[in-house]
mmCIF file of all heavy atoms in Angstrom:
data_model
loop_
_atom_site.group_PDB
_atom_site.id
_atom_site.type_symbol
_atom_site.label_atom_id
_atom_site.label_comp_id
_atom_site.label_asym_id
_atom_site.label_seq_id
_atom_site.Cartn_x
_atom_site.Cartn_y
_atom_site.Cartn_z
ATOM 1 N N LYS G 268 45.281 92.813 129.892
ATOM 2 C CA LYS G 268 46.280 92.684 130.949
ATOM 3 C C LYS G 268 46.891 94.039 131.314
ATOM 4 O O LYS G 268 47.182 94.298 132.486
ATOM 5 C CB LYS G 268 47.366 91.691 130.536
ATOM 6 C CG LYS G 268 46.906 90.236 130.585
ATOM 7 C CD LYS G 268 48.037 89.271 130.365
ATOM 8 C CE LYS G 268 47.551 87.830 130.456
ATOM 9 N NZ LYS G 268 46.990 87.494 131.782
ATOM 10 N N LYS G 285 28.517 91.368 114.441
ATOM 11 C CA LYS G 285 29.286 91.968 113.350
ATOM 12 C C LYS G 285 28.441 92.036 112.081
ATOM 13 O O LYS G 285 27.649 91.135 111.786
ATOM 14 C CB LYS G 285 30.558 91.155 113.092
ATOM 15 C CG LYS G 285 31.548 91.845 112.171
ATOM 16 C CD LYS G 285 32.806 91.005 111.974
ATOM 17 C CE LYS G 285 33.610 90.918 113.241
ATOM 18 N NZ LYS G 285 34.903 90.201 113.039
ATOM 19 N N GLN G 307 28.734 76.155 102.761
ATOM 20 C CA GLN G 307 30.047 76.792 102.803
ATOM 21 C C GLN G 307 31.098 75.855 103.399
ATOM 22 O O GLN G 307 32.231 75.778 102.912
ATOM 23 C CB GLN G 307 29.984 78.080 103.628
ATOM 24 C CG GLN G 307 29.285 79.231 102.942
ATOM 25 C CD GLN G 307 30.108 79.771 101.783
ATOM 26 O OE1 GLN G 307 31.320 79.824 101.841
ATOM 27 N NE2 GLN G 307 29.432 80.173 100.729
ATOM 28 N N PHE G 322 42.882 70.371 111.289
ATOM 29 C CA PHE G 322 43.811 71.293 111.953
ATOM 30 C C PHE G 322 43.048 72.482 112.519
ATOM 31 O O PHE G 322 43.269 72.899 113.662
ATOM 32 C CB PHE G 322 44.868 71.764 110.946
ATOM 33 C CG PHE G 322 45.959 72.613 111.541
ATOM 34 C CD1 PHE G 322 47.132 72.035 112.008
ATOM 35 C CD2 PHE G 322 45.824 73.996 111.626
ATOM 36 C CE1 PHE G 322 48.148 72.822 112.549
ATOM 37 C CE2 PHE G 322 46.830 74.788 112.163
ATOM 38 C CZ PHE G 322 47.999 74.189 112.628
ATOM 39 N N GLY G 407 30.681 110.312 112.149
ATOM 40 C CA GLY G 407 29.874 110.410 113.364
ATOM 41 C C GLY G 407 30.432 109.575 114.504
ATOM 42 O O GLY G 407 30.498 110.020 115.654
ATOM 43 N N SER G 410 33.846 111.087 115.682
ATOM 44 C CA SER G 410 33.647 112.386 116.344
ATOM 45 C C SER G 410 33.162 112.219 117.776
ATOM 46 O O SER G 410 33.378 113.094 118.628
ATOM 47 C CB SER G 410 32.649 113.235 115.550
ATOM 48 O OG SER G 410 33.164 113.556 114.275
ATOM 49 N N LYS G 413 36.292 110.088 122.719
ATOM 50 C CA LYS G 413 37.027 111.031 123.577
ATOM 51 C C LYS G 413 38.478 111.190 123.126
ATOM 52 O O LYS G 413 39.102 112.223 123.375
ATOM 53 C CB LYS G 413 36.986 110.558 125.036
ATOM 54 C CG LYS G 413 35.596 110.468 125.636
ATOM 55 C CD LYS G 413 34.939 111.839 125.722
ATOM 56 C CE LYS G 413 33.580 111.737 126.433
ATOM 57 N NZ LYS G 413 32.897 113.051 126.479
ATOM 58 N N LEU G 436 49.471 108.270 117.082
ATOM 59 C CA LEU G 436 49.988 106.962 116.698
ATOM 60 C C LEU G 436 50.368 106.199 117.961
ATOM 61 O O LEU G 436 51.221 106.640 118.737
ATOM 62 C CB LEU G 436 51.209 107.127 115.792
ATOM 63 C CG LEU G 436 51.784 105.854 115.172
ATOM 64 C CD1 LEU G 436 50.778 105.206 114.222
ATOM 65 C CD2 LEU G 436 53.082 106.162 114.429
ATOM 66 N N SER G 451 59.633 84.661 129.368
ATOM 67 C CA SER G 451 60.664 84.199 130.306
ATOM 68 C C SER G 451 60.401 82.777 130.767
ATOM 69 O O SER G 451 61.323 82.089 131.238
ATOM 70 C CB SER G 451 60.733 85.135 131.521
ATOM 71 O OG SER G 451 59.566 85.026 132.316
ATOM 72 N N ALA G 483 65.875 77.271 103.722
ATOM 73 C CA ALA G 483 65.967 76.548 104.996
ATOM 74 C C ALA G 483 66.837 75.298 104.878
ATOM 75 O O ALA G 483 67.745 75.072 105.696
ATOM 76 C CB ALA G 483 64.565 76.177 105.472
ATOM 77 N N VAL G 504 52.397 72.962 113.382
ATOM 78 C CA VAL G 504 52.179 72.832 114.823
ATOM 79 C C VAL G 504 50.942 73.614 115.237
ATOM 80 O O VAL G 504 50.828 74.809 114.959
ATOM 81 C CB VAL G 504 53.393 73.369 115.624
ATOM 82 C CG1 VAL G 504 53.254 72.997 117.096
ATOM 83 C CG2 VAL G 504 54.701 72.845 115.067
ATOM 84 N N ILE G 522 59.940 84.051 108.646
ATOM 85 C CA ILE G 522 59.436 84.558 107.368
ATOM 86 C C ILE G 522 57.935 84.736 107.531
ATOM 87 O O ILE G 522 57.223 83.792 107.890
ATOM 88 C CB ILE G 522 59.748 83.584 106.215
ATOM 89 C CG1 ILE G 522 61.268 83.399 106.083
ATOM 90 C CG2 ILE G 522 59.159 84.096 104.900
ATOM 91 C CD1 ILE G 522 61.673 82.286 105.126
ATOM 92 N N ASN G 546 48.234 94.142 102.807
ATOM 93 C CA ASN G 546 48.237 94.741 104.145
ATOM 94 C C ASN G 546 49.280 95.848 104.254
ATOM 95 O O ASN G 546 49.793 96.131 105.338
ATOM 96 C CB ASN G 546 48.497 93.671 105.202
ATOM 97 C CG ASN G 546 49.738 92.827 104.881
ATOM 98 O OD1 ASN G 546 50.435 93.063 103.899
ATOM 99 N ND2 ASN G 546 49.992 91.817 105.699
ATOM 100 N N GLU G 556 58.365 102.543 111.055
ATOM 101 C CA GLU G 556 58.472 103.079 112.417
ATOM 102 C C GLU G 556 59.750 102.612 113.096
ATOM 103 O O GLU G 556 60.360 103.336 113.891
ATOM 104 C CB GLU G 556 57.273 102.638 113.266
ATOM 105 C CG GLU G 556 55.971 103.358 112.969
ATOM 106 C CD GLU G 556 54.849 102.807 113.823
ATOM 107 O OE1 GLU G 556 55.093 102.512 115.017
ATOM 108 O OE2 GLU G 556 53.728 102.645 113.308
ATOM 109 N N LEU G 559 62.870 99.236 109.588
ATOM 110 C CA LEU G 559 63.037 97.847 109.164
ATOM 111 C C LEU G 559 62.616 97.626 107.709
ATOM 112 O O LEU G 559 62.312 96.503 107.310
ATOM 113 C CB LEU G 559 62.221 96.928 110.087
ATOM 114 C CG LEU G 559 62.671 96.880 111.550
ATOM 115 C CD1 LEU G 559 61.674 96.092 112.393
ATOM 116 C CD2 LEU G 559 64.062 96.275 111.676
ATOM 117 N N ILE G 564 60.816 91.377 101.628
ATOM 118 C CA ILE G 564 61.148 90.414 100.572
ATOM 119 C C ILE G 564 60.672 90.965 99.236
ATOM 120 O O ILE G 564 59.513 91.373 99.107
ATOM 121 C CB ILE G 564 60.456 89.058 100.837
ATOM 122 C CG1 ILE G 564 60.856 88.514 102.214
ATOM 123 C CG2 ILE G 564 60.777 88.058 99.739
ATOM 124 C CD1 ILE G 564 59.976 87.357 102.689
ATOM 125 N N ILE G 580 69.139 94.690 117.435
ATOM 126 C CA ILE G 580 68.076 94.461 118.420
ATOM 127 C C ILE G 580 68.027 95.573 119.468
ATOM 128 O O ILE G 580 66.949 95.989 119.906
ATOM 129 C CB ILE G 580 68.269 93.084 119.112
ATOM 130 C CG1 ILE G 580 68.297 91.954 118.068
ATOM 131 C CG2 ILE G 580 67.159 92.839 120.119
ATOM 132 C CD1 ILE G 580 67.060 91.877 117.209
ATOM 133 N N LYS G 591 56.346 102.898 123.408
ATOM 134 C CA LYS G 591 55.514 102.378 124.505
ATOM 135 C C LYS G 591 55.216 103.484 125.511
ATOM 136 O O LYS G 591 54.104 103.587 126.026
ATOM 137 C CB LYS G 591 56.221 101.212 125.204
ATOM 138 C CG LYS G 591 56.111 99.888 124.491
ATOM 139 C CD LYS G 591 56.896 98.798 125.196
ATOM 140 C CE LYS G 591 56.355 98.477 126.552
ATOM 141 N NZ LYS G 591 57.018 97.284 127.159
#
Side-chain angles (χ1 to χ4, degrees):
K268 286 188 178 298
K285 191 179 292 185
Q307 286 290 324
F322 186 92
S410 296
K413 299 296 184 182
L436 186 64
S451 69
V504 190
I522 300 171
N546 51 3
E556 285 178 40
L559 295 172
I564 303 166
I580 303 302
K591 280 177 65 172

